[in-house]
Amino acid sequence: MDFVVLGQLLNTTLVFSTALIFASLGGIFSERSGVVNIGLEGLMMFGAFAAAVGGYYAQDAGMGEWAPWVGVLCAMAVGVIGSLIHAVAAITFKADQTISGTVINFLAAGSTLYMVKLFFEGSGETPLIDGFSKVAIPGLSKIPVIGEGIFNSYPTTYLAIILVIVIYFILFKTPFGLRLRAVGEHPSAADTLGVNVNKMRYIGVMLSGLLAGIGGATITLTTTGTFAHNTISGQGFIAIAAMIFGKWNPLGAFGAAVFFGFSQAIRNYVQLFEWSKSIPQEFIFMIPYVLTIIVLVSAVGRSSAPKALGEPYDPSKR
């Protein structure tokens, strides 16, 4: 491979990684607070739908290059609303968190498809919209391989990389992060010290919805340009795998998300080779999901989840 192809492969890797980075960061906030969030897939679906619809109407209103950002804001809002359903069920009513998250996934799959048909006269997908364009950083974009690969990316990719650093700092260097991690490890001890456990968990789940919503929006506004029932296609579950493999750490989740993004990018490049034509296309498209399963199996016993993860907090039992 020459430098140009390597740069393009790196760039494609980041394109596929970006949505996973956002969603896995969201999952970290929720699960660090002690709430399992299997619903990342559904929250990404809500975000992708909201971004497509919001971006379409903003574009129709003549907002031009600001239209994709309107889509992102819509995705953030709808992601938070969707996550509140999970938060109320899991935190206030102490429902089984895995079941609650699964309900979010089913609800998102059904409701978004219904609303697409409702808004767009029975169509199975939203109209094509103009999403984000890649932004080259002057000077840096001319560096061989990494210039084309990293410094000529979508705005959402730059935002995702920045958020990895910011969220790492928030979680491990601020009082807020300490409280959030405390309610996920020892909620009784945190409560004794005056930390409102349920409030912190609500914040964690809502932040997961906000970030997963942006993750879904990223796919709509950079890759597909439209929303349909198969737009997310398991990306939320891959984000969960990235979070677990990254040991609930933003830096680790980033590395895992890039790995999974690479597996999707290499899937596209494999199809360019002549020898790949003898392989059924279904097997090639299985690559990212097979790698996800392998990584999860290898992570069993090596990743240590927050100690109170999945346990509803009952103040009377402390």
Side-chain angles (χ1 to χ4, degrees), residues 85-292:
I85 300 172
H86 180 47
V88 170
I91 301 170
T92 301
F93 294 104
K94 298 178 173 55
D96 185 288
Q97 295 171 10
T98 301
I99 293 175
S100 175
T102 302
V103 168
I104 294 296
N105 291 334
F106 281 115
L107 177 64
S111 62
T112 53
L113 180 59
Y114 170 76
M115 286 187 284
V116 167
K117 291 182 177 294
L118 183 66
F119 291 167
F120 301 105
E121 301 177 350
S123 174
E125 62 182 15
T126 60
L128 195 65
I129 60 173
D130 295 327
F132 288 112
S133 299
K134 291 184 178 180
V135 177
I137 298 179
L140 296 177
S141 61
K142 301 299 182 183
I143 301 173
V145 183
I146 64 171
E148 170 65 24
I150 299 175
F151 299 113
N152 184 29
S153 299
Y154 293 109
T156 47
T157 299
Y158 297 128
L159 177 61
I161 294 171
I162 292 170
L163 279 180
V164 169
I165 300 169
V166 170
I167 290 174
Y168 178 86
F169 179 82
I170 290 172
L171 282 177
F172 297 104
K173 304 295 181 181
T174 67
F176 170 81
L178 178 61
R179 294 188 190 101
L180 188 81
R181 288 183 289 118
V183 301
E185 295 285 348
H186 301 288
S188 297
D191 192 8
T192 302
L193 293 173
V195 178
N196 188 323
V197 175
N198 284 351
K199 178 182 176 181
M200 292 304 298
R201 287 187 168 182
Y202 260 93
I203 292 172
V205 174
M206 290 168 67
L207 285 172
S208 77
L210 185 147
L211 289 165
I214 300 176
T218 297
I219 295 175
T220 300
L221 298 171
T222 63
T223 307
T224 65
T226 185
F227 174 82
H229 73 281
N230 61 347
T231 296
I232 301 303
S233 296
Q235 296 297 295
F237 296 115
I238 296 178
I240 293 172
M243 174 189 67
I244 295 172
F245 190 56
K247 299 181 178 180
W248 291 268
N249 183 302
L251 299 179
F254 170 77
V258 171
F259 169 75
F260 289 127
F262 174 76
S263 72
Q264 295 185 64
I266 205 69
R267 175 193 67 188
N268 290 359
Y269 276 85
V270 162
Q271 298 179 76
L272 298 178
F273 295 98
E274 192 67 29
W275 54 264
S276 69
K277 294 180 181 179
S278 61
I279 303 174
Q281 197 174 47
E282 291 79 5
F283 285 98
I284 294 175
F285 277 85
M286 284 169 55
I287 292 174
Y289 305 102
V290 171
L291 285 175
T292 301

Side-chain angles (χ1 to χ4, degrees), residues 38-50:
I38 298 295
L40 288 181
E41 175 86 2
L43 295 173
M44 289 183 74
M45 203 173 295
F46 279 132
F49 164 76

